[in-house]
Amino acid sequence: MNAQHQPTGSAYFIAAETARPETHTLSVLVDNEPGVLARVIGLFSGRGYNIESLTVSETEHEAHLSRITIVTTARPNVLEQIKSQLERIVPVHRVVDLTVLSSELGHDKPLERELALVKVTGSGENRVEALRLADAFRAQVIDANTEHFIFEITGRVSKIEQFIAIMKPLGLVEICRTGIAAMNRGPQGM
């Protein structure tokens, strides 16, 4: 056995090798001030962590607090590092792993929704079919002329992905997505 692959005697060594990446939704309450988002994102990029979805908006105007929702995939030990490092950033007030909290509350996952604007061009049967399918998905027409439609659709990521896939052969030309907004069920706040 070569020296690189010998066990170190540490359980961490085994866990690091066998643990599978997990997708988690993190909610981070921060001061709404210049540079905070850059510091949070810098933590991810500087360590090579991937962000699959990112949304941020001021949620408490009087207190000047913003909520950042981050969806990331990593091994459990890396997720713990991410949460720990986020908590050390000065303008961060709270970090909540909505995925873990949801599980503790007896739910599969937190409530997650996304909004997308989808532009489809076309005429004839494709145009009729795009309208029919949009209605089935409860997508709203927010702009239209004789050459295109812009649909607004809100829902789970899987619903958005399915709608986009169905629109591709019907003349899909542009997509704009908000990223995931998430919250846990129940009476407790973040």
Side-chain angles (χ1 to χ4, degrees):
M1 197 188 270
N2 93 30
Q4 286 181 327
H5 293 80
Q6 289 182 356
T8 62
S10 164
Y12 177 79
F13 175 83
I14 296 166
E17 291 296 317
T18 61
R20 289 191 149 159
E22 301 173 356
T23 300
H24 281 242
T25 303
L26 307 176
S27 192
V28 185
L29 192 62
V30 300
D31 287 336
N32 185 12
E33 59 185 44
V36 175
L37 181 60
R39 290 175 67 190
V40 169
I41 301 313
L43 183 147
F44 281 80
S45 65
R47 289 160 181 80
Y49 305 149
N50 188 40
I51 295 175
E52 295 174 22
S53 175
L54 172 71
T55 59
V56 60
S57 182
E58 186 174 60
T59 54
E60 297 179 39
H61 298 296
E62 294 81 28
H64 299 290
L65 296 176
S66 290
R67 183 173 178 152
I68 302 172
T69 304
I70 303 167
V71 178
T72 189
T73 300
R75 287 182 162 65
N77 61 325
V78 172
L79 285 164
E80 287 305 316
Q81 279 183 331
I82 291 170
K83 291 185 282 188
S84 175
Q85 290 168 357
L86 280 171
E87 288 170 344
R88 288 190 214 129
I89 296 175
V90 173
V92 171
H93 292 271
R94 187 155 188 221
V95 177
V96 176
D97 187 331
L98 295 176
T99 305
V100 170
L101 182 58
S102 182
S103 178
E104 290 171 357
L105 295 171
H107 304 289
D108 288 343
K109 58 191 296 189
L111 293 172
E112 297 179 345
R113 295 295 182 267
E114 184 175 16
L115 177 132
L117 301 178
V118 180
K119 186 184 291 185
V120 179
T121 63
S123 59
E125 286 300 312
N126 281 354
R127 187 173 176 84
V128 172
E129 184 66 2
L131 276 173
R132 187 187 70 74
L133 289 167
D135 187 51
F137 276 82
R138 296 188 180 140
Q140 302 294 314
V141 176
I142 59 170
D143 187 56
N145 68 20
T146 57
E147 298 174 341
H148 80 278
F149 291 109
I150 297 178
F151 298 108
E152 175 186 303
I153 183 167
T154 306
R156 293 184 179 141
V157 172
S158 58
K159 175 184 175 182
I160 305 291
E161 293 288 341
Q162 187 177 14
F163 184 73
I164 290 168
I166 287 171
M167 288 297 153
K168 278 183 182 175
L170 299 176
L172 178 75
V173 293
E174 187 176 0
I175 305 162
C176 181
R177 298 173 72 164
T178 60
I180 294 171
M183 185 179 283
N184 271 318
R185 293 174 167 87
Q188 313 86 337
M190 187 178 143

